[in-house]
Amino acid sequence: RRCRQVMKEFAAEIEKLAEKVLDLLCENLGLELGYLKQAFAGSWGPTFGTKVSSYPPCPRPDMVDGLRAHTDAGGVIMLFQDDQVSGLQLLKDGAWVDVPPMRHAIVVNIGDQLEVITNGRYKSVMHRVLTRPDGNRMSIASFYNPGADAVIFPATALVEEPSEEAERAGSAVYPRFVFEDYMNLYMRHKFEAKEPRFEAMKADAAPIATA
């Protein structure tokens, strides 16, 4: 019971922190404070969940993935890593880079929905977890995501002032869709590149009522 209460309190504080991070992104993008939280809201508000993962020692790490490479589907992810056992890597400029353990630090990751809403100003990050022969790696990941029926699309202000990719395309380079529909696609193609998912949502796009 005590553990449950502690985790509940922990999650509540991390949720508040995630909302502060979203407002920092808004400030950096020139969006009104609260814009991203509202974009996630849908009918019942954003969703939030916390997951505890354990990666036991593996005698053949060259043969077994801890977690295959993927981007996260949702909004912003707050990650407490193990402070002793490494394993998390992210893809940068075509090369895998270690994210070293750091005590009392939170790794902030961007998900696919923020890439869409920011029209590519912020990118979701391909990452993976390697197994290790020595040491059990623990992590606590908290996901601040849109509500199921939230309509996701590039912020108008960021289409009017497009990213380099949007300039090349002439406008918004990302589709408009309902988050639940994207998740249905993501669950089938999680461990594949994100770009075909975005293209599939464009192909399936239909008028969406927002009133």
Side-chain angles (χ1 to χ4, degrees), residues 159-178:
V159 175
E160 294 171 350
E161 299 179 4
S163 63
E164 291 182 6
E165 287 185 12
E167 287 176 348
R168 288 195 294 269
S171 62
V173 296
Y174 296 92
R176 180 186 186 97
F177 53 82
V178 175

Side-chain angles (χ1 to χ4, degrees), residues 88-109:
L88 178 64
Q89 293 186 325
L90 59 83
L91 189 64
K92 179 175 174 58
D93 299 327
W96 288 105
V97 179
D98 290 326
V99 182
M102 187 177 297
R103 188 172 177 82
H104 302 312
I106 299 175
V107 177
V108 179
N109 193 19

Side-chain angles (χ1 to χ4, degrees), residues 1-201:
R1 179 179 296 180
R2 175 60 180 161
C3 180
R4 182 183 301 174
Q5 181 61 32
V6 169
M7 285 301 298
K8 185 176 180 180
E9 294 172 2
F10 168 85
E13 292 302 316
I14 293 296
E15 184 173 7
K16 293 176 186 176
L17 180 59
E19 291 179 346
K20 290 180 181 178
V21 169
L22 289 177
D23 272 346
L24 287 173
L25 298 182
C26 286
E27 184 177 356
N28 188 52
L29 292 165
L31 299 173
E32 181 181 354
L33 295 184
Y35 179 92
L36 291 172
K37 179 179 179 180
Q38 183 59 39
F40 283 12
S43 299
W44 301 282
T47 60
F48 182 84
T50 295
K51 178 179 72 173
V52 179
S53 298
S54 174
Y55 301 89
C58 177
R60 292 296 306 272
D62 57 317
M63 297 183 65
V64 179
D65 293 320
L67 184 61
R68 286 184 288 164
H70 66 287
T71 60
D72 289 322
V76 63
I77 300 88
M78 316 293 286
L79 175 68
F80 272 98
Q81 288 202 90
D82 194 298
D83 61 1
Q84 295 182 347
V85 182
S86 63
L88 178 64
Q89 293 186 325
L90 59 83
L91 189 64
K92 179 175 174 58
D93 299 327
W96 288 105
V97 179
D98 290 326
V99 182
M102 187 177 297
R103 188 172 177 82
H104 302 312
I106 299 175
V107 177
V108 179
N109 193 19
I110 299 295
D112 293 347
Q113 307 313 299
L114 277 180
E115 178 167 337
V116 172
I117 296 171
T118 66
N119 204 28
R121 298 291 186 88
Y122 287 102
K123 303 289 191 182
S124 59
V125 179
M126 184 73 77
H127 56 283
R128 67 183 184 183
V129 177
L130 303 181
T131 53
R132 297 296 186 190
D134 50 351
N136 185 79
R137 181 180 182 272
M138 301 287 292
S139 69
I140 305 175
S142 296
F143 301 82
Y144 191 101
N145 290 340
D149 68 342
V151 179
I152 304 300
F153 57 92
T156 302
L158 302 180
V159 175
E160 294 171 350
E161 299 179 4
S163 63
E164 291 182 6
E165 287 185 12
E167 287 176 348
R168 288 195 294 269
S171 62
V173 296
Y174 296 92
R176 180 186 186 97
F177 53 82
V178 175
F179 178 58
E180 185 174 33
D181 293 339
Y182 185 85
M183 284 302 301
N184 289 336
L185 178 68
Y186 178 86
M187 294 304 293
R188 300 194 302 272
H189 302 282
K190 175 177 179 177
F191 297 109
E192 300 173 18
K194 61 188 173 183
E195 290 80 9
R197 295 197 296 265
F198 293 149
E199 289 301 316
M201 297 309 295

